[in-house]
């Protein structure tokens, strides 16, 4: 009598495609080992720092070549010394000694640009050399020779200048483990160099890392100062433009107001105007009032909340004597040279924008003299030619010691000068003089009211 077949789910034998518990454990262990090896390979194969050679950004060619020349000098010295020491002191055959010398020293050339790859090659060559010396040496320094220690410390210095702290810590831990493991197999009568390599490599890695981080901090500080200076210059330019816009509002508003009054009063002042002319004058007055309203609305956007309303009329060249008098009372000797009376009458018809810009340029030049060259004798010359108004402000060297903070000025006052000159289509030239003084020369187009504006 045959028994009934056993259901598949009760079959005690595991399917061939499914491993048992021990097989699954082995698979998980092998997978973990492979993952760890992959992570270690990625850790050491990909450099954390730059891959360009050391001093690659130096301005001089000899400075860019200096790291390679130093590395070449170490290689040229270490290869023959290693070969001779291994042959004479450790009894290694000449061919093997030469191969070990090259493998242990040549990576220094690669370390100039890729120190991590050079370290990987060197650590393998050093371990092989240590195994050879441990098997042949008797009472000699072990496991590392003096040449290995020298080349390894140099590579550690190069590594510390390029790699991150995480990478440097991993390299030092590998050095510690390898030195202790190999040191356990040395003869009792031999000198232990494993601890020496651990200490020297740790000092080299730490010292180089500190120097690199200090250099990086200084570079970041310089970059931040450059960015801050650019931002300050841009902010000064925007503030000067807003100030010019506020000042020009007074100039333009005056003329627009005159147009409005003339257009409104024309039908009453002129008899016999046709209705079309009256409507035209009314349209002109309405457009002028609308323009004034829009200009005041835009000015409210440009004016900061803490800027008080300016009620005084904007100054011009006619106010230069008052400016010079106030500056002289502040302790700055000034010689003012202006055009003759007939020319001053001609200047009365200069456009308000040019008149205001000329005054502000002289004002800013005198402010710079007071800040950076206190007590210096200053000469202000205002002249005319057929098409231009010429302004020259020259000061000599300071007779008093300027304040350290003021003396280190950023030159932002010159930004305002250039912006005002650009506004009216002129030019300005400012710079130091050989005797220690300073010169500001501006040329403004002489566009009069009668000739119109450009």
């Amino acid at each position: 009598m045959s028994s009934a077949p056993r259901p598949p789910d009760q079959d005690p034998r595991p399917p061939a495609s499914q491993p048992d518990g021990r097989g699954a454990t082995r698979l998980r262990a092998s997978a973990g080992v492979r993952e760890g090896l992959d992570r270690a390979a990625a850790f050491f194969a990909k450099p954390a720092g730059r891959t360009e050679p050391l001093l690659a950004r130096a301005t001089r060619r000899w400075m860019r070549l200096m790291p390679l020349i130093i590395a070449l000098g170490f290689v040229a010295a270490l290869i023959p010394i290693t070969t001779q020491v291994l042959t004479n002191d450790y009894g290694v055959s000449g061919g093997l000694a030469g191969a070990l010398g090259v493998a242990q020293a040549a990576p220094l050339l690669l370390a100039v640009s890729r120190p991590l790859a050079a370290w990987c090659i060197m650590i393998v060559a050093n371990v092989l050399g240590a195994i050879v010396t441990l098997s042949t040496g008797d009472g000699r320094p072990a496991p590392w020779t003096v040449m290995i220690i020298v080349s390894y410390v140099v590579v550690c210095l190069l590594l510390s200048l390029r790699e991150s702290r995480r990478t440097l810590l991993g390299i030092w831990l590998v050095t510690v483990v390898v030195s202790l493991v190999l040191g356990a197999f040395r003869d009792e009568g031999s000198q232990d160099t494993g601890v020496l390599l651990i200490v020297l490599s740790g000092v080299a890695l730490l010292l180089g890392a500190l120097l690199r981080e200090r250099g990086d901090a200084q570079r970041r500080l310089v970059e931040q100062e450059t960015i801050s200076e650019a931002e300050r210059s841009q902010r000064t330019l925007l503030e000067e433009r807003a100030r010019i816009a506020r000042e020009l509002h007074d100039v333009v508003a005056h003329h627009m107001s005159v147009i409005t009054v003339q257009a409104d009063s024309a039908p009453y002042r002129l008899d016999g105007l046709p209705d079309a002319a009256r409507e035209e004058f009314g349209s002109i007055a309405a457009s002028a009032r609308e323009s004034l309203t829009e200009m005041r609305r835009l000015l409210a956007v440009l004016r900061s909340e803490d800027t008080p309303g300016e009620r005084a009329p904007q100054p011009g060249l006619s106010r230069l004597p008052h400016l010079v008098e106030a500056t002289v009372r502040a302790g700055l000797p000034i010689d003012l040279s202006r055009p003759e009376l007939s020319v001053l009458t001609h200047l009365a018809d200069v456009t308000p924008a040019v008149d205001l810009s000329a005054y502000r340029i002289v004002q800013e030049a005198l402010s710079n003299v007071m800040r950076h060259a206190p007590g210096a004798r200053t000469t202000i010359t205002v002249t005319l030619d057929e098409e231009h108004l010429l302004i020259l402000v020259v000061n000599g060297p300071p007779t008093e010691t300027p304040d350290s903070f003021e003396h280190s000025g950023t030159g932002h006052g010159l930004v305002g000068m250039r912006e005002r000159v650009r506004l009216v289509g002129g030019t300005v030239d400012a710079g130091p003089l050989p005797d220690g003084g300073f010169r500001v020369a501006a040329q403004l187009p002489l566009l009069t009211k009668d000739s119109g504006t450009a």
Side-chain angles (χ1 to χ4, degrees), residues 89-414:
D89 297 346
Y90 292 90
V92 181
S93 61
L96 180 57
L100 289 175
V102 172
Q104 293 172 0
L108 289 175
L109 297 175
L110 178 62
V112 174
S113 58
R114 297 297 296 268
L116 194 56
W119 176 83
C120 294
I121 298 173
M122 183 174 290
I123 191 67
V124 174
N126 290 346
V127 170
L128 293 177
I131 293 174
V132 172
T133 56
L134 286 173
S135 61
T136 58
D138 185 14
R140 301 292 181 181
W144 313 116
T145 62
V146 176
M147 293 73 66
I148 288 178
I149 295 176
V150 172
S151 60
Y152 197 84
V153 170
V154 173
V155 168
C156 287
L157 282 173
L158 296 175
L159 277 167
S160 63
L161 297 176
R162 307 298 291 275
E163 302 298 330
S164 64
R165 287 185 178 183
R166 176 177 58 90
T167 304
L168 299 181
L169 179 59
I171 289 172
W172 188 72
L173 291 178
V174 171
T175 304
V176 172
V177 172
V178 173
S179 298
L180 294 179
V181 170
L182 292 177
F185 294 95
R186 66 181 181 85
D187 295 335
E188 295 182 358
S190 62
Q191 182 181 358
D192 185 12
T193 55
V195 177
L196 180 62
L197 181 63
I198 292 173
V199 174
L200 292 180
S201 62
V203 172
L205 292 173
L206 179 61
L207 179 61
L210 293 177
L211 292 176
R212 183 198 48 158
E213 291 176 358
R214 182 175 181 272
D216 292 342
Q218 290 179 342
R219 281 192 298 271
R220 286 193 297 267
L221 181 60
V222 171
E223 292 174 357
Q224 187 60 40
E225 289 179 349
T226 303
I227 295 173
S228 300
E229 179 62 25
E231 292 177 348
R232 284 195 296 268
S233 299
Q234 184 65 21
R235 185 172 62 250
T236 302
L237 179 61
L238 295 177
E239 291 174 353
E240 187 64 25
R241 286 179 177 177
R243 181 185 177 191
I244 293 172
R246 293 194 298 268
E247 293 175 348
L248 288 182
H249 163 264
D250 298 335
V251 175
V252 178
H254 168 72
H255 296 287
M256 296 296 292
S257 300
V258 171
I259 293 173
T260 303
V261 172
Q262 289 178 342
D264 281 334
S265 62
Y268 304 100
R269 292 183 292 103
L270 303 176
D271 297 331
L273 286 177
D275 293 338
R278 292 175 182 272
E279 292 179 0
E280 187 68 24
F281 277 117
S283 177
I284 292 174
S287 298
R289 281 192 293 269
E290 184 179 355
S291 299
L292 280 173
T293 303
E294 291 294 333
M295 186 167 54
R296 292 190 180 101
R297 185 180 297 114
L298 292 175
L299 181 65
V301 177
L302 294 174
R303 193 184 299 276
S304 59
E305 296 179 357
D306 56 349
T307 301
E310 298 173 1
R311 301 184 181 274
Q314 295 298 337
L317 289 175
S318 61
R319 298 283 300 173
L320 275 185
H322 302 278
L323 176 63
V324 170
E325 182 181 355
T327 309
V328 170
R329 286 199 302 267
L332 190 68
I334 299 177
D335 296 328
L336 175 61
S337 175
R338 294 194 301 164
E340 299 297 332
L341 181 60
S342 59
V343 181
L344 285 176
T345 303
H346 180 68
L347 281 178
D349 292 331
V350 172
T351 56
V354 173
D355 196 25
L356 175 61
S357 297
Y359 178 86
R360 293 300 188 194
I361 289 172
V362 176
Q363 183 184 43
E364 183 60 37
L366 293 180
S367 299
N368 288 337
V369 175
M370 294 181 66
R371 284 195 297 265
H372 307 301
R377 176 161 293 277
T378 305
T379 302
I380 303 174
T381 305
V382 180
T383 58
L384 291 171
D385 58 20
E386 295 181 357
E387 297 181 352
H388 298 93
L389 170 65
L390 306 176
I391 301 173
L392 182 64
V393 182
V394 180
N395 65 273
T399 59
E400 304 174 10
T401 302
D403 183 78
S404 59
F405 177 77
E406 296 288 356
H407 186 65
S408 61
T410 58
H412 291 166
L414 299 178

